Amino acid sequence: MTVQPLNSYRSGPDERGHFGMFGGRFVAETLMPVILEVEKAYAAAKDDPAFQAEMDGYLAHYVGRPSPLYYAERLTERLREGAGGKGAKIYLKREELNHTGSHKVNNVLGQILLARRMGKKRIIAETGAGQHGVATATLCARFGLECVIYMGAVDVERQKPNVFRMQMLGATVVPVQSGSRTLKDAMNEALRDWVTNVATTYYCIGTVAGPHPYPGMVRDFQAVIGKETREQILAAEGRLPDSLVACIGGGSNAMGLFYPFLDDKDVEIYGVEAAGHGLASGQHAASLTGGRPGVLHGNRTYLLMDDDGQIAEAHSISAGLDYPGIGPEHAFLHETGRVTYISATDKEALEAFMLLSKLEGIIPALEPAHALAKVVELAPQKPQDHIMVVNLSGRGDKDVPQVADILGGQF
Amino acid sequence: MSRIDRRFAACRAEGRAALVTFVTAGDPDADTSLAILKALPRAGADLIEIGMPFTDPMADGPAIQLSSQRALKGGQTLKKTLDMVRALRAGEADTPVILMGYYNPIYIYGVERFLKDAREAGVDGLIVVDLPPEEDDELCVPALKAGLSFIRLATPTTDDARLPAVLANTSGFVYYVSITGITGSATPDFGAVAQSVARIKAHTNLPVVVGFGVKTGEHAAAIARGADGVVVGSALVEAVRASLDGEGRATAGTLAAVEALVGELAAGVRSAAKATAA
């Protein structure tokens, strides 16, 4: 076993899947054997150079990696206006240019290759915005695997383009009618499917949450984002960035960007949760800011809930952030203070969505629009030699009908 | 000897399996729910499982999901569930009461406080679906210390290699999940279930009780031939649902519907005893 330095933020999870007090394996007995099987298979794959080589090949030639690190010149200039000589230099990590249009594909590729090694022929997944569903449907098509996607009925309505994409790729999309009919209920339903079809089925979880080994495994697959960013910024600027900003629902794009920088003490790290109609309204999805530790979906983490421990319904304009929990490693990084967690409202995200579209010719997804909304606040407070990297985790094509509807065609 | 041990011993003395009935606390409302609980023993239930409703019951099928939603809509909380056990216990000294549910409401209530209050209310055992042996430190070990049984689920995926880990801290009885699936879904293959029960019995002296997918007296009889007990839940909460009026309120027929089904199931369990004796 590798001994990690005690002062490292990168040593989790431990062998029981804990990041500090968070994480764990809170699942029904029916699933425990398969979860142990996934853990074993992943441990073997991680140490197998052939697995890494296979990953690298598909990442380069199928996903289109590395994704560019782009200097957003006009956004930088705009945010320097009226900033009194201040204003950070803003780079965008262009995950929206990946095949399928978001960072989700990085993780799905890893898990699908793992499922193939495990001999599983049927893949299930939950999806909120549909980005993880599309990525899963895509790789199932590529490898000839059966694919069933669970999606809350509310999300099926607001993310129609992605539903059609998944169906065109050959996946079965099951609208989930139970509970709040959003991402958390899709996850419940996927778990119910897995319990029922455990012998044949692999559950491809879309974020850094769920029972061990998922949070750490998904982070590892997404860490390619941060590794590339490190190399790219060193090449472009000759030094590490001063700050990182990413949006957080479950938190996989954020963990992917943050993880390789966690032990670089001088790099400020900001995670942006969805504040919905505002934290005071009670209608939001900011688990760290508005929640407390609890147990759901296989792990202990911060959750939105009432005093009886009943899970609350989250709210966000972004279906991908509309989840009452957060990955356990974020809960750990929050409690240790290594990452600063802030939040952006629906309205702020919409404004940032339009701002980036008009200034840079990049229509972002509503999820990273939350990160951009906080960049709009943070960048003018930083000196001009401050380098800020924002994870542009997905593109906004899927959100075009919803945003057009909200803005009534007035762009 | 605990109440659970005594009850299984009594059923064994009668040469039959025990009938374990599950209903959700607070479904469809607090008063009706308590009336149902009180009626269960006289209708033929040997052990009572009380569901602690949760918003996200990941291992449950639609019937128990809906019953949890009805209870939560009616304002049920874990505290009210414990109060309900206390009220039941006042007139029911012998029938074991087992609380079943998910961990988060207990975790939020506070483990130590919950165990103390549950024990004082007259709870005998706990079944917590999302706490496998890997998480025994959370609630299982403290529950055993507090004098409560911690009843574990064994499933078709629990192989011989894993079974000892599952049985290690189990007490009261072992709950064998008859199918890989959620509650109230597929009807089990009774032959395969009998083999699995025999397999588990080779590893433990605890009673082995079978649940998931048992809906009728006939099913109960089939299971009762090989197992020490039969659990029925979804069919009972479905009987509650079917008896409600258009607004989801209890009717004069609600209690009777549950009693009738429990009576049928109890007869099934008893007929199996005769079949074995014959």
Side-chain angles (χ1 to χ4, degrees), chain A residues 16 18 21 23-33 36 178-179 184-185 187-189 191-193 195-198 292-298 300 303 305-312, chain B residues 53-61 65 69 72 76-79 103-105 107-109 129-138 153-159 162 166 177 179-182:
Chain A
R16 295 175 61 202
H18 293 144
M21 69 174 280
R25 287 178 286 212
F26 296 88
V27 296
E29 171 60 21
T30 310
L31 292 179
M32 255 334 286
L36 294 171
S178 61
K184 105 179 149 73
D185 309 285
M187 196 148 181
N188 288 337
E189 215 53 38
L191 285 164
R192 290 180 186 122
D193 179 311
V195 163
T196 308
N197 302 295
V198 62
R292 56 184 165 141
V295 174
L296 181 71
H297 291 155
R300 183 185 352 251
L303 299 168
M305 61 178 119
D306 70 11
D307 291 339
D308 190 44
Q310 305 297 338
I311 306 304
Chain B
F54 183 48
T55 38
D56 295 80
M58 289 146 297
D60 285 301
Q65 288 175 40
Q69 284 171 20
L72 292 173
Q76 191 68 18
T77 61
L78 185 49
K79 183 174 180 309
Y103 185 41
N104 197 54
Y107 181 68
I108 295 306
Y109 192 95
V129 179
D130 51 355
L131 286 178
E134 282 73 6
E135 301 292 351
D136 267 1
D137 295 345
E138 294 284 334
L153 305 176
T155 71
T157 61
T158 314
D159 61 17
R162 184 168 165 78
V166 169
V177 175
I179 51 165
T180 55
I182 51 178

Side-chain angles (χ1 to χ4, degrees), chain A residues 62 98-102 104-105 108 112 123 127 130-149 159-173 395:
Chain A
Y62 191 71
N98 293 335
H99 181 42
T100 76
S102 81
K104 292 292 187 185
V105 69
V108 173
I112 293 297
I123 307 295
T127 198
Q131 295 299 86
H132 176 58
V134 166
T136 306
T138 297
L139 283 154
C140 286
R142 169 62 186 78
F143 291 106
L145 301 166
E146 185 187 348
C147 181
V148 178
I149 305 292
Q159 306 276 247
K160 264 278 150 64
N162 272 346
V163 175
F164 292 136
R165 288 169 77 195
M166 289 184 271
Q167 290 169 338
M168 286 171 191
L169 291 160
T172 303
V173 179
R395 64 176 179 241

Side-chain angles (χ1 to χ4, degrees), chain B residues 110-135:
Chain B
V111 166
E112 290 306 323
R113 180 177 159 231
F114 169 77
L115 291 172
K116 181 172 170 286
D117 291 357
R119 178 127 177 102
E120 281 172 11
V123 172
D124 300 288
L126 304 174
I127 302 177
V128 183
V129 179
D130 51 355
L131 286 178
E134 282 73 6
E135 301 292 351

